[in-house]
Amino acid sequence: ETRISMNIPTPTASGGATPEEIQEAANNEPPPASFFELQRASVRAATQAINDGKTLLEVEFPPLPAQVLDMDDVSAYDVAKANVNLALDFARSFVSTNEIKGDVAVMLPDESECNIMLEDLKLESKPYPGVRLTSLRRSEEGDTRIFKPENLLIGLMGRGSGGTVKPIEGVGMYIIVVASAQELPDVEELYEQIKNPKEGEKEPVIVFYNLKLDVLRGDLGAPAFPGKDFQDRFLSRVKPVYYLRTRQYSRSVSQPPFIINFQGCLFRSYPGHFQTLLDTGTGRYRKVVGNDLRPALGEFKEQLTDALREEGAIAKKEEEGALFGFLRTGYKTTTWWEEEREDASLEWRT
């Protein structure tokens, strides 16, 4: 079934739309109804951000349908394969465009992961014209050793890549997939090498693709992980250009059914604001509020809860009581990286 809204073109600069019209359309853009819509919308949002001079971009959405992700036999590797396939499709949209000069490289953390993925997906290292599937850490050309003891030493020391992270000649966009928090410093190492292009050349773009940066930020500062300063120095500069994360919550109430389950979605399509959306239970979302600054998770949950209060699904704050409300939310509703930090950029929140 084709939705009527599919026939209404999204305002774009190339189509003659003003920045205000583009902003207004993005502010009211609904979540995608299919992966086809999602891919098209994420490419459009990334294109707009690149045209605005952004070079560190985040694209985040569930790579498989919710009912599939909830299945017991779906492994992390199944999710990784889905992300690689989606990233390759995303990459094809940017080959030889006005925004990106040169090829697009989809990058896994290391060569062994890349080789396994190439074999499992039955792909060549250049699966499509202008698209490469490669890795952040790469051996010198001609080094065919399977086991490289120096890589083990580098991994144990946790200090840089030992020169194994290098830019690729002729690549204008790097799409990073399936990287852990411990592997993110390699992305910073790549960025440091490409951020000052030669005169007349464009700075390559780095896309953090479905890495769940929110989760990875929570690991920073733990033993054997990058320090919290990594968020301030680098990750806070990554602009979420297409962001769709769903959250499920439960809340106890004093009357039957005593437990209310609800879920919502934090959605952003650049240059639009962050939309807090409440699942209506009919397969659709209702916009609760638009946020110019990305809300912390605690604030996002409270926005959904306030919407349920307005609908009468749960008691209003004054009926609930201040103490009971405090016990629900607690004193602290933000994580350390969601708070204002002196050395951090606001790019990740705007």
Side-chain angles (χ1 to χ4, degrees):
E1 178 180 309
T2 303
R3 299 190 306 164
I4 294 174
S5 60
M6 289 284 287
N7 296 325
I8 303 173
T10 303
T12 60
S14 60
T18 65
E20 293 75 19
E21 289 170 335
I22 294 171
Q23 176 84 42
E24 181 67 20
N27 283 346
N28 295 292
E29 182 176 327
S34 67
F35 275 96
F36 172 75
E37 278 186 47
L38 188 154
Q39 281 284 42
R40 191 170 63 173
S42 64
V43 167
R44 185 171 62 242
T47 299
Q48 180 69 40
I50 294 168
N51 286 334
D52 286 347
K54 311 301 180 185
T55 58
L56 291 173
L57 315 180
E58 178 185 12
V59 172
E60 183 65 52
F61 59 86
L64 292 167
Q67 63 270 26
V68 176
L69 285 171
D70 290 338
M71 292 169 63
D72 293 335
D73 58 348
V74 175
S75 67
Y77 189 63
D78 293 327
V79 176
K81 286 196 289 187
N83 275 325
V84 170
N85 279 321
L86 288 164
L88 288 170
D89 281 342
F90 182 85
R92 293 169 70 183
S93 301
F94 287 96
V95 174
S96 300
T97 59
N98 291 331
E99 291 74 33
I100 301 300
K101 301 301 181 187
D103 289 356
V104 180
V106 176
M107 308 187 91
L108 287 100
D110 59 51
E111 287 178 313
S112 59
E113 287 181 80
C114 183
N115 291 335
I116 291 170
M117 192 65 72
L118 286 168
E119 186 176 335
D120 282 0
L121 296 179
K122 297 179 172 55
L123 293 173
E124 300 293 327
S125 58
K126 293 184 178 179
Y128 306 109
V131 176
R132 313 183 193 194
L133 184 55
T134 181
S135 59
L136 272 162
R137 295 193 177 195
R138 298 185 309 283
S139 303
E140 293 294 334
E141 206 166 320
D143 185 353
T144 58
R145 291 175 299 158
I146 295 174
F147 176 68
K148 302 177 180 64
E150 65 273 20
N151 285 356
L152 179 62
L153 183 63
I154 291 166
L156 290 172
M157 296 293 288
R159 299 278 181 183
S161 71
T164 59
V165 172
K166 299 179 288 291
I168 303 173
E169 190 71 31
V171 167
M173 175 184 275
Y174 299 89
I175 302 173
I176 313 300
V177 290
V178 202
S180 68
Q182 290 166 312
E183 291 154 338
L184 285 178
D186 285 353
V187 186
E188 183 185 27
E189 191 174 334
L190 173 66
Y191 172 71
E192 290 296 327
Q193 297 176 67
I194 65 175
K195 67 178 182 180
N196 296 314
K198 297 174 184 174
E199 191 174 343
E201 294 183 2
K202 292 185 70 172
E203 180 182 333
V205 173
I206 297 179
V207 181
F208 295 72
Y209 197 87
N210 282 354
L211 295 185
K212 291 191 174 179
L213 290 184
D214 289 356
V215 176
L216 302 189
R217 285 182 173 106
D219 292 331
L220 300 180
F225 285 86
K228 291 183 177 181
D229 62 314
F230 185 69
Q231 159 67 11
D232 302 341
R233 185 179 70 244
F234 184 60
L235 283 189
S236 65
R237 298 163 69 182
V238 178
K239 171 76 73 178
V241 295
Y242 197 81
Y243 186 90
L244 194 163
R245 286 294 300 273
T246 56
R247 300 276 177 177
Q248 292 81 35
Y249 302 103
S250 295
R251 187 181 180 91
S252 57
V253 291
S254 59
Q255 298 175 333
F258 301 112
I259 293 287
I260 289 181
N261 297 312
F262 62 100
Q263 68 177 17
C265 167
L266 184 60
F267 177 61
R268 195 275 175 96
S269 181
Y270 184 90
H273 55 205
F274 289 89
Q275 301 181 51
T276 296
L277 306 171
L278 178 66
D279 190 334
T280 62
T282 62
R284 295 179 178 275
Y285 286 97
R286 177 170 71 82
K287 184 174 179 178
V288 173
V289 66
N291 309 272
D292 290 330
L293 278 181
R294 171 171 161 179
L297 283 179
E299 184 184 352
F300 168 70
K301 180 181 179 182
E302 195 59 28
Q303 289 172 345
L304 295 177
T305 305
D306 286 343
L308 292 174
R309 288 192 181 104
E310 290 174 11
E311 293 177 357
I314 60 174
K316 297 189 180 298
K317 282 185 177 180
E318 53 270 23
E319 296 170 7
E320 190 178 60
L323 176 61
F324 195 46
F326 172 79
L327 291 174
R328 285 187 185 280
T329 58
Y331 170 71
K332 197 173 178 67
T333 58
T334 59
T335 55
W336 64 266
W337 50 268
E338 291 176 317
E339 297 167 353
E340 294 286 340
R341 294 175 64 81
E342 184 179 347
D343 298 325
S345 167
L346 273 179
E347 285 291 328
W348 76 276
R349 291 193 64 194
T350 58

